[in-house]
Amino acid sequence: MTAPQPADTAARLTGLVRALREHGLRIGPAETVDAAAVLDVLGFADREQMRAGLAAALLRSDGQRAVFDASFDLFFPLGVGTPEALRTDPPPLPDDPEPPRFGRPDPLRDQLRERLAAALAADDRAAQARLAGEVVEAFGRYGTGSTPGSDGWSAHQALGRLSPETLLARILAALRENPGPEDLSDRVLADEIRRRIRDFRAQVTGEARRRVAELRGPERIAERAVAPTADRIDFLYAGREQLAELRRTVHPLARKLATRLAARRRRAARGQIDLRRTLRRSLGTGGVPLRPAYRLRRPARPELVLLCDVSGSVSGFADFTMLLVRAMSEQFSKVRVFAFVNRTAEITDLLRENSADPARLATRILAEAKVMGYHGNSDYGSALGEFADHHLDAVGPRTCVLVLGDARNNHRDPNLDALRRIAGRARRVFWLNPEQPALWPTGDSAALAYADVVEMHPCRNARRLGELIARLLPV
């Protein structure tokens, strides 16, 4: 990596900091000054050392590293334009450059696949990096350049043409023929090969992102193409791996929220100022009330009831919230959890027993709890009615009720009277909706009707959920 000019360096660093802040990372002027000092000390000779130094200066937790690495590669790229190795020694092209049709041989693709299989079998990272550049150069370009903004580079297109996942059997056979010093089973070898293929896919994605950033600007690509941190992943669109990452953030988030609730409880315990005692204390300081006296009170810890929609559309949101509340259970005198699709069942014991395997929580709820009747579609009106008829004893004057769901009622009766009965007995009722407010009046949603009865708050990711719990729940 060639050293940029000082003005260019400042622009790149401030651009990186802005991009990270757009992704929710808390980086202030002090951290930015520290990062500039890191660049001054380390220089640009060793790019990975520079990456590590900037990460140490700017980041606060390991969970932010993936966002940082992707953004760093945009603002401090390894190169510009076509990789240097391809400019000096381009790969041989086939005689017929026309893209192959179905059933037609593709010499360039076959050659790249052979070389990739060898590089993955040898775990040659340098060769894999060169191949990532070649694959993007050969297969990733789209557009004709005739229309401004219509051309670019696509990792999805390049990887779809190369299909590296189909090389698993070939690489496994090569490793069997030339075993290494460690005698590994086929299953372990297959997992290792899949990891190497995933790493190569990430290299191709990074190379395509770098090339697009040269066309569109790194700021725009950092905003749109860099995956957010786990606490900003949208519950409704999170995939399996993202949900697993979310579950790993449950306990750190629970500890943070428990600390905040405990601090709120300590402040609330002080009560109001006792004017008589304060004036009496002020006699020793010439009538100046330097040490206010408070009417101390001993508030009991509140009770919490969760009423969760566990249907497929919002199961990830309900799953994460239930795990978070279970981890925070010591902050409440009693916690009871109810799940529903179109029938309501208490799952407090099931949630407690499932602590060893949180990934299977939703599956066990659907299999073991009676949350569905004669159909599998959400019916909030029926579920709320069943809770009000059979489980209303769980709600009392010290109870805060959290309703979790998107209020998509499939055009059935919303049963607002049942929600009013629940709100009439509870201390407070809050509805957390994983959909954005713009979607509440659309389709089969009854969100606006329910919002007229209880407070409804949009809650699309873990960060927002933590903010709401810390602010709304009584102490």
Side-chain angles (χ1 to χ4, degrees):
M1 177 178 176
T2 58
Q5 297 298 319
D8 188 34
T9 301
R12 289 175 183 271
L13 179 59
T14 55
L16 173 63
V17 169
R18 280 195 300 270
L20 294 176
R21 293 179 69 176
E22 286 293 327
H23 281 278
L25 277 65
R26 295 183 178 179
I27 301 175
E31 290 82 3
T32 307
V33 171
D34 290 343
V38 166
L39 288 179
D40 186 51
V41 172
L42 297 181
F44 299 88
D46 189 332
R47 183 168 178 267
E48 292 308 311
Q49 187 180 53
M50 180 177 67
R51 182 199 299 267
L54 288 178
L58 296 174
L59 304 187
R60 297 171 181 263
S61 67
D62 292 338
Q64 301 170 343
R65 186 58 190 261
V67 172
F68 170 83
D69 285 337
S71 302
F72 175 86
D73 290 337
L74 293 175
F75 289 92
F76 294 92
L78 186 59
V80 178
T82 303
E84 183 68 25
L86 296 183
R87 291 197 293 265
T88 57
D89 185 19
L93 296 175
D95 295 334
D96 185 2
E98 182 182 354
R101 298 185 179 90
F102 179 75
R104 183 176 179 179
D106 187 350
L108 178 57
R109 174 180 179 273
D110 294 341
Q111 180 200 87
L112 289 173
R113 283 170 57 84
E114 289 288 344
R115 292 170 55 199
L116 177 60
L120 292 174
D123 199 17
D124 187 341
R125 302 299 177 86
Q128 293 172 32
R130 175 187 169 91
L131 280 166
E134 293 185 25
V135 168
V136 172
E137 181 75 19
F139 304 138
R141 185 67 179 261
Y142 64 86
T144 61
S146 58
T147 304
S150 64
D151 55 348
W153 304 88
S154 170
H156 178 75
Q157 176 178 299
L159 291 168
R161 182 87 171 269
L162 189 67
S163 301
E165 291 82 1
T166 60
L167 296 174
L168 175 63
R170 185 184 305 181
I171 301 171
L172 190 58
L175 290 177
R176 287 198 198 101
E177 294 176 1
N178 301 292
E182 298 181 359
D183 185 15
L184 301 177
S185 66
D186 284 353
R187 181 175 180 180
V188 174
L189 277 176
D191 290 341
E192 172 64 17
I193 295 168
R194 291 188 184 95
R195 182 195 63 78
R196 296 178 189 178
I197 292 175
R198 286 196 302 270
D199 291 345
F200 176 75
R201 290 180 64 91
Q203 288 180 310
V204 173
T205 301
E207 175 65 16
R209 188 188 296 128
R210 178 187 70 81
R211 302 290 289 270
V212 174
E214 293 176 8
L215 298 174
R216 309 280 191 269
E219 293 83 3
R220 183 178 180 184
I221 303 305
E223 177 185 357
R224 300 187 178 186
V226 174
T229 53
D231 62 342
R232 296 172 71 90
I233 295 173
D234 197 315
F235 287 122
L236 295 183
Y237 305 108
R240 181 179 301 177
E241 293 182 359
Q242 292 174 318
L243 287 175
E245 180 64 25
L246 272 174
R247 293 187 189 101
R248 287 192 285 270
T249 67
V250 164
H251 290 287
L253 180 58
R255 288 195 297 270
K256 182 185 298 185
L257 293 178
T259 301
R260 292 179 182 176
L261 290 176
R264 285 181 57 198
R265 187 174 291 113
R266 286 194 299 271
R267 290 193 297 269
R270 297 177 68 180
Q272 297 179 345
I273 291 180
D274 188 329
L275 184 59
R276 178 179 296 180
R277 292 174 56 206
T278 300
L279 291 176
R280 186 176 298 170
R281 284 184 180 182
S282 69
L283 296 177
T285 55
V288 180
L290 295 179
R291 293 185 303 119
Y294 295 89
R295 295 189 180 96
L296 298 181
R297 61 189 183 93
R298 297 289 184 267
R301 293 189 177 187
E303 300 174 359
L304 185 63
V305 168
L306 260 65
L307 190 55
C308 311
D309 181 1
V310 293
S311 61
S313 59
V314 293
S315 61
F317 167 52
D319 179 15
F320 179 80
T321 308
M322 286 187 288
L323 293 174
L324 179 63
V325 169
R326 186 194 65 194
M328 296 175 56
S329 58
E330 293 182 357
Q331 299 300 314
F332 306 95
S333 61
K334 183 185 297 184
V335 176
R336 296 181 68 178
V337 183
F338 298 83
F340 68 88
V341 174
N342 48 63
R343 294 189 60 188
T344 302
E346 183 169 6
I347 58 168
T348 307
D349 293 337
L350 183 61
L351 185 65
R352 189 179 300 114
E353 296 169 1
N354 206 60
S355 58
D357 189 11
R360 296 186 57 221
L361 175 59
T363 303
R364 288 196 61 189
I365 292 173
L366 293 175
E368 301 179 23
K370 296 180 180 179
V371 295
M372 287 188 288
Y374 60 90
H375 62 85
N377 299 324
S378 297
D379 186 345
Y380 281 78
S382 175
L384 291 172
E386 186 170 353
F387 180 84
D389 291 338
H390 302 290
H391 304 289
L392 203 56
D393 59 330
V395 180
R398 291 168 47 195
T399 305
C400 179
V401 179
L402 287 183
V403 184
L404 312 176
D406 58 4
R408 295 267 165 199
N409 201 37
N410 293 292
H411 302 289
R412 294 182 171 88
D413 178 16
N415 198 353
L416 300 180
D417 289 338
L419 186 59
R420 291 191 185 98
R421 290 172 59 193
I422 298 170
R425 284 180 59 94
R427 178 178 178 181
R428 297 294 297 273
V429 178
F430 301 107
W431 191 307
L432 306 186
N433 192 327
E435 287 192 338
Q436 54 185 320
L439 298 178
W440 292 358
T442 64
D444 60 348
S445 176
L448 296 183
Y450 289 128
D452 288 337
V453 180
V454 299
E455 288 187 41
M456 183 172 290
H457 299 270
C459 184
R460 301 180 60 187
N461 53 52
R463 171 169 294 197
R464 175 64 174 165
L465 176 63
E467 293 172 353
L468 289 173
I469 287 179
R471 178 167 60 89
L472 297 178
L473 291 187
V475 296

